[in-house]
Amino acid sequence: MESPQSLFAQGDKDLQVMKAGAMLRKVKSRSWKKQRHFRLQEDGQTIWYKSRWAGTGHSTFSVADVDVVREGHQSEILLSIADEFPADLCFTLVFRGRRSNLDLVAESPSEAQVWIRGVRKLIQNTESMNDKERLDQWIWDWFQKADKNKDGRMNFKEVRTLLKMMNVDMNEEYALRLFTMADKSESGCLENEEFVQFYKMLTEREDVWRVFQDYSRDGQILTLAELEDFLKQEQQEGERSLEHAQELIDRYEPSENAKKHGAMSIDGFQMYLVSPESAVLDPQLLALHQDMSQPLSHYFICSSHNTYLMDDQLRGQSSQEAYIQALKRGCRCVEVDCWDGPNGEPVVYHGHTFTSKILFRDVITTLAEYAFKVSEFPVILSLENHCSMEQQRVMAQLLDTILGDTLLTAPLDRLVPQELPSPQDLKGKVLLKAKKIGGLEESETLTDEVTDEVSDEDEADPKSLSAEALHLNDKKSKLSRELSDLVVYCKSVHFHSFEYSRLHSKCYEMSSFSESKARKLAKDTGAEFVRHNSRQLSRVYPSGMRTDSSNYNPQELWNVGCQIVALNFQTAGLEMDLNDGLFSQNGCCGYVLKPDFMRNDDSFDPERPQDRNGYTSLRLSIQVISGQQLPKVNQKEGSIVDPLVRVEIYGVFQDQAKQETSYIDNNGFNPLWNETLNFIVHVPELALVRFVVEDYDKASRNDFMGQFTVPFTCIQPGYRHIHLLSKDGTAIPLSSLFVNIKISELTTEV
């Protein structure tokens, strides 16, 4: 049995050279540069490397985990050794999730090109695999792991080990029965196709078979009419269901004979149910589909805090890579903390801490290159300015020269706005958020202004400052006119009160709030906060006390319409899951249109949602049926998970809820729950639904296994698969939950 990647690798010269191996220099810093032997393994999927002196120790990584290959000095580390190694020897492997880059130096330009081309081909081949090839690769990977003596055959003892590795503690008698059925040659070992047959028997989906039987009259096939009936009754599809049924047969039915008769077999039915088309998140809502012509204040905007940090805010590394990662995740508001640096060059870091420093120039260069690769809609550059007048002028000059036409430096059409322009109007533009001398109404600005509010974040949350910083803040700081003139639609102002803003504030003025201030306003005056945010932008940022760069729950700030709810993107967990969930819709463009009742003058109070016009609550019923190939959390041999599923609702206060299934003993491979969880949702337009799988532990805290978060309004009802994500937000191959979702209006009986 050969893997698809292995077959692909056989016919390619670059990949054959990679299989032979090469000495490449692994670089971690200017002083840490060590030779390692790298080679592509026979599976065409794994790259193995070790040092000459490491004995039996080695490392491996899967090509599937590599996001992109960058050529030349395209990382800070390789730039730092540019004087020692020319660009044509250098390349960087960038991994998915939060894993660090791998910076490498080849011994010759031709060798560097072999590895650059080779890894790129493998990435492209992995991404273009169809579902069957992906499954074949997955089966082959397991076969390789379990075939301990590498004879290309698997005896029953090896199969028992494999089952444990695959997270299933199967009854020995049943496992032996399957093994014997698959061992057609009666050799006592499974070879190639026999192992594939064993795997198919092992993964037969009784849960899917039962659903199939409910709609198939003869128990063998679904006719076109029966499939249409299933789509109408279970998947809640309307008028297009007959046409759609025919499309599904054409797309997923593997049997030509069944296709000819306009029917679907159990294999085709299962392929449809595990396809992206049948996922819990409606694929039509994944695409860019919202109205992008409304004022900026009418959108939630994907926003990052301390964007320059790869780790915590006391000792973490500041890096351009952190900006690249945030922008690639759809972030549209990035933060830059600027301080005076040596040689007249401003630097970016977390002031008064031990975080490393990077040049402001390099941050803006990175922004110029990556700002619009994932989304064409505007990026807001939130400037925390702690610089002297001289270095502020340098900042203004760098912004102007590096960003060029992408930097918005004047109002559109030279008109003073009555409302903010739209994301559509501002496509491809960078907006500077900072203090400004005067307003857009003045025809010209004549002088520098003395202000004690150059950095609005520090000003807003004095608790977060050190004594040294507070002393500095007491001194009046001057704001340079050159920098001020670059601020157009995001002028930072001190927040006085909602009444003051209503009477005096301009639409292009915005305030920053610490999480504690924003939460208090949301709790005490939620309806006023919603109204304020329909016209002006608000930015919320984590408390300075969060020295570990932890996050607050963004949901309660979205509930009052705050657009820029800034999170530490470098910190995985529930809060980033919610952020990723909200912004997974609308083409992952970083802008999500707020519900209409938060954009108009209607009075919406998140504490009293039932008071709004057109209020209807919904019943959400989720039958958690089964799990497939759940990941192991404890890599110890023989350890198997006891999974449970928890469904969590995040939204207005009345909608916050959690329910969980019981746990299944010793089965992460194909656990069966068949338990139904029920919820009532009062404001579905703001609700997020998070599915979490954990390994139950009665003695200590449960271990996280995987999750998926989806906006309530994007849920497809019916029988759906939920494809799980890791803590880092990356896909866990073939790991899913099978559920049946019903959504109905709540009828109140008189």
Side-chain angles (χ1 to χ4, degrees):
M1 182 167 71
E2 299 242 36
S3 79
Q5 281 283 58
S6 175
L7 286 167
F8 171 70
Q10 283 173 20
D12 188 278
K13 281 184 186 169
D14 289 332
L15 302 183
Q16 289 306 308
V17 173
M18 286 170 67
K19 279 186 177 182
M23 292 304 290
L24 301 172
R25 222 176 279 267
K26 182 181 173 186
V27 185
K28 283 189 177 179
S29 69
R30 196 167 166 78
S31 57
W32 197 103
K33 307 178 283 283
K34 299 196 176 170
Q35 292 224 310
R36 296 285 181 262
H37 186 251
F38 281 79
R39 74 164 185 261
L40 176 65
Q41 295 197 298
E42 281 305 314
D43 62 2
Q45 178 74 18
T46 309
I47 291 176
W48 171 102
Y49 64 97
K50 66 174 285 188
S51 84
R52 257 179 276 184
W53 305 279
T56 56
H58 67 272
S59 300
T60 61
F61 61 86
S62 170
V63 173
D65 294 333
V66 181
D67 184 36
V68 74
V69 186
R70 293 197 202 129
E71 271 183 79
H73 299 142
Q74 285 205 60
S75 77
E76 288 153 76
I77 287 170
L78 291 178
L79 269 171
S80 74
I81 58 162
D83 54 345
E84 195 177 346
F85 298 104
D88 59 6
L89 299 181
C90 301
F91 61 101
T92 302
L93 303 186
V94 180
F95 291 92
R96 299 179 195 280
R98 291 176 174 80
R99 181 172 170 177
S100 299
N101 294 349
L102 184 56
D103 289 306
L104 298 169
V105 179
E107 294 189 342
S108 70
S110 59
E111 187 176 69
Q113 280 303 312
V114 164
W115 282 82
I116 290 163
R117 286 193 305 263
V119 176
R120 282 178 178 164
K121 286 177 204 170
L122 289 170
I123 293 170
Q124 191 178 359
N125 191 54
T126 302
E127 288 173 351
S128 62
M129 276 185 190
N130 61 32
D131 289 343
K132 185 186 180 306
E133 288 168 333
R134 225 176 282 278
L135 183 60
D136 288 348
Q137 179 72 45
W138 197 82
I139 297 170
W140 195 87
D141 288 346
W142 279 116
F143 187 91
Q144 289 299 108
K145 283 177 193 167
D147 182 14
K148 297 286 188 197
N149 57 8
K150 302 298 173 202
D151 63 354
R153 298 144 53 94
M154 205 175 295
N155 59 35
F156 184 64
K157 188 181 175 193
E158 285 176 317
V159 165
R160 290 287 292 143
T161 306
L162 171 69
L163 291 175
K164 284 230 162 66
M165 286 163 71
M166 290 173 105
N167 231 346
V168 58
D169 192 9
M170 191 179 280
N171 171 289
E172 187 146 351
E173 199 179 307
Y174 178 60
L176 185 57
R177 191 160 80 243
L178 291 187
F179 181 90
T180 308
M181 285 164 70
D183 183 17
K184 294 276 195 289
S185 61
E186 299 182 4
S187 64
C189 286
L190 300 184
E191 301 181 28
N192 298 343
E193 294 311 313
E194 291 176 336
F195 177 72
V196 173
Q197 190 54 40
F198 170 77
Y199 177 82
K200 278 186 174 169
M201 289 189 284
L202 187 65
T203 53
E204 272 179 2
R205 294 280 302 273
E206 199 180 319
D207 49 354
V208 172
W209 178 251
R210 281 193 204 131
V211 178
F212 185 83
Q213 292 294 305
D214 285 345
Y215 285 86
S216 169
R217 202 167 288 111
D218 68 357
Q220 300 301 308
I221 58 156
L222 287 174
T223 64
L224 190 61
E226 286 166 349
L227 181 55
E228 183 197 10
D229 193 26
F230 168 76
L231 294 176
K232 273 185 176 169
Q233 299 297 321
E234 301 294 348
Q235 310 300 74
Q236 295 185 28
E237 291 191 14
E239 295 160 13
R240 268 196 73 244
S241 49
L242 182 64
E243 189 187 329
H244 192 208
Q246 185 59 59
E247 285 172 9
L248 294 181
I249 290 170
D250 294 341
R251 198 173 303 143
Y252 298 109
E253 179 50 53
S255 159
E256 288 302 323
N257 190 39
K259 259 188 198 174
K260 210 180 293 176
H261 291 89
M264 184 176 262
S265 67
I266 180 67
D267 288 342
F269 187 63
Q270 186 165 319
M271 282 175 76
Y272 154 64
L273 283 178
V274 299
S275 72
E277 183 170 355
S278 193
V280 69
L281 201 164
D282 186 341
Q284 290 182 31
L285 302 181
L286 267 176
L288 184 68
H289 66 280
Q290 294 182 345
D291 176 7
M292 302 306 288
S293 64
Q294 303 212 22
L296 275 184
S297 54
H298 288 186
Y299 297 84
F300 295 120
I301 302 171
C302 187
S303 305
S304 162
H305 177 249
N306 288 351
T307 314
Y308 46 88
L309 287 180
M310 298 289 283
D311 209 330
D312 72 73
Q313 62 191 53
L314 279 187
R315 296 172 189 277
Q317 180 195 354
S318 301
S319 169
Q320 291 135 254
E321 194 61 46
Y323 285 94
I324 296 170
Q325 288 180 12
L327 291 164
K328 279 169 73 173
R329 291 179 79 160
C331 182
R332 297 287 87 191
C333 179
V334 296
E335 185 184 24
V336 185
D337 273 18
C338 300
W339 301 78
D340 280 357
N343 309 318
E345 283 256 16
V347 291
V348 174
Y349 78 111
H350 200 268
H352 314 293
T353 65
F354 298 101
T355 61
S356 60
K357 300 175 175 71
I358 49 179
L359 289 176
F360 178 76
R361 171 195 300 274
D362 291 342
V363 170
I364 304 308
T365 303
T366 300
L367 187 64
E369 186 176 351
Y370 288 92
F372 303 107
K373 286 201 169 178
V374 167
S375 169
E376 57 191 348
F377 295 109
V379 170
I380 298 169
L381 181 58
S382 181
L383 197 63
E384 286 301 311
N385 173 15
H386 306 270
C387 290
S388 62
M389 287 286 287
E390 294 72 27
Q391 295 211 10
Q392 286 181 50
R393 291 191 181 109
V394 174
M395 282 161 60
Q397 187 188 359
L398 289 170
L399 285 164
D400 193 39
T401 53
I402 296 169
L403 294 176
D405 289 345
T406 60
L407 180 66
L408 189 84
T409 56
L412 300 177
D413 302 324
R414 303 282 165 179
L415 298 173
V416 176
Q418 297 309 302
E419 64 175 20
L420 286 166
S422 70
Q424 185 72 32
D425 296 331
L426 295 165
K427 266 186 181 178
K429 292 295 182 187
V430 175
L431 312 183
L432 188 63
K433 181 196 91 65
K435 297 291 174 183
K436 183 174 179 66
I437 304 163
L440 298 179
E441 290 74 14
E442 288 84 354
S443 56
E444 62 178 281
T445 312
L446 297 173
T447 66
D448 297 328
E449 181 178 273
V450 176
T451 173
D452 59 356
E453 297 181 359
V454 171
S455 167
D456 63 334
E457 189 168 298
D458 288 351
E459 185 270 332
D461 190 12
K463 291 197 299 295
S464 70
L465 293 173
S466 65
E468 180 191 356
L470 278 170
H471 174 66
L472 284 172
N473 216 43
D474 285 341
K475 297 178 188 172
K476 297 275 183 185
S477 304
K478 274 193 168 184
L479 175 61
S480 105
R481 199 186 77 209
E482 291 86 345
L483 196 58
S484 163
D485 286 352
L486 300 180
V487 177
V488 183
Y489 294 119
C490 298
K491 176 186 175 180
S492 294
V493 297
H494 176 67
F495 176 77
H496 298 283
S497 69
F498 292 126
E499 186 183 10
Y500 181 90
S501 296
R502 197 164 60 250
L503 296 173
H504 304 289
S505 293
K506 308 288 190 291
C507 65
Y508 57 82
E509 294 179 331
M510 61 177 290
S511 301
S512 287
F513 302 89
S514 68
E515 61 175 279
S516 50
K517 175 87 179 282
R519 287 168 73 179
K520 186 171 187 336
L521 287 170
K523 194 168 186 307
D524 296 346
T525 49
E528 284 190 74
F529 214 164
V530 172
R531 203 175 298 118
H532 172 87
N533 286 327
S534 69
R535 184 167 177 269
Q536 286 178 257
L537 293 174
S538 291
R539 177 175 172 270
V540 183
Y541 59 91
S543 155
M545 307 306 283
R546 293 181 180 273
T547 51
D548 58 352
S549 289
S550 60
N551 282 311
Y552 55 95
N553 186 327
Q555 184 67 53
E556 51 192 311
L557 289 319
W558 292 329
N559 289 344
V560 289
C562 292
Q563 303 86 353
I564 301 175
V565 180
L567 297 179
N568 289 300
F569 270 46
Q570 71 273 29
T571 308
L574 161 69
E575 298 81 11
M576 273 309 295
D577 293 345
L578 296 178
N579 196 76
D580 291 345
L582 175 66
F583 292 104
S584 61
Q585 60 185 309
N586 203 32
C588 294
C589 76
Y591 285 83
V592 168
L593 190 61
K594 294 197 274 191
D596 58 355
F597 54 80
M598 301 183 98
R599 311 192 306 259
N600 54 33
D601 288 334
D602 284 1
S603 179
F604 169 67
D605 186 345
E607 294 290 315
R608 298 189 52 78
Q610 61 277 16
D611 291 352
R612 76 177 166 93
N613 291 335
Y615 162 77
T616 311
S617 57
L618 298 176
R619 181 187 297 282
L620 172 65
S621 176
I622 300 171
Q623 182 192 9
V624 180
I625 301 169
S626 62
Q628 294 74 45
Q629 280 97 301
L630 301 178
K632 287 187 82 146
V633 287
N634 188 336
Q635 293 307 319
K636 279 187 198 158
E637 202 161 321
S639 76
I640 294 168
V641 297
D642 305 320
L644 62 82
V645 178
R646 188 168 57 255
V647 177
E648 304 170 347
I649 312 288
Y650 295 88
V652 298
F653 179 73
Q654 279 175 259
D655 287 342
Q656 308 282 358
K658 294 179 186 182
Q659 286 185 48
E660 63 186 39
T661 65
S662 51
Y663 65 90
I664 306 289
D665 270 324
N666 286 336
N667 187 355
F669 186 71
N670 55 0
L672 209 59
W673 288 279
N674 278 319
E675 294 180 36
T676 301
L677 312 175
N678 289 301
F679 302 90
I680 291 166
V681 181
H682 299 85
V683 189
E685 298 90 340
L686 286 171
L688 293 166
V689 183
R690 183 172 183 251
F691 298 85
V692 193
V693 186
E694 289 182 347
D695 179 15
Y696 173 76
D697 192 326
K698 62 173 176 283
S700 62
R701 197 172 169 183
N702 294 349
D703 286 319
F704 172 90
M705 292 170 68
Q707 68 84 31
F708 191 81
T709 304
V710 58
F712 185 99
T713 52
C714 296
I715 289 176
Q716 294 201 95
Y719 285 98
R720 305 293 170 190
H721 278 87
I722 294 162
H723 301 279
L724 296 173
L725 303 175
S726 70
K727 203 165 216 161
D728 260 355
T730 54
I732 307 170
L734 301 182
S735 189
S736 61
L737 296 175
F738 185 43
V739 298
N740 185 12
I741 298 174
K742 289 186 167 64
I743 299 171
S744 56
E745 280 194 18
L746 199 64
T747 50
T748 45
E749 294 177 13
V750 183

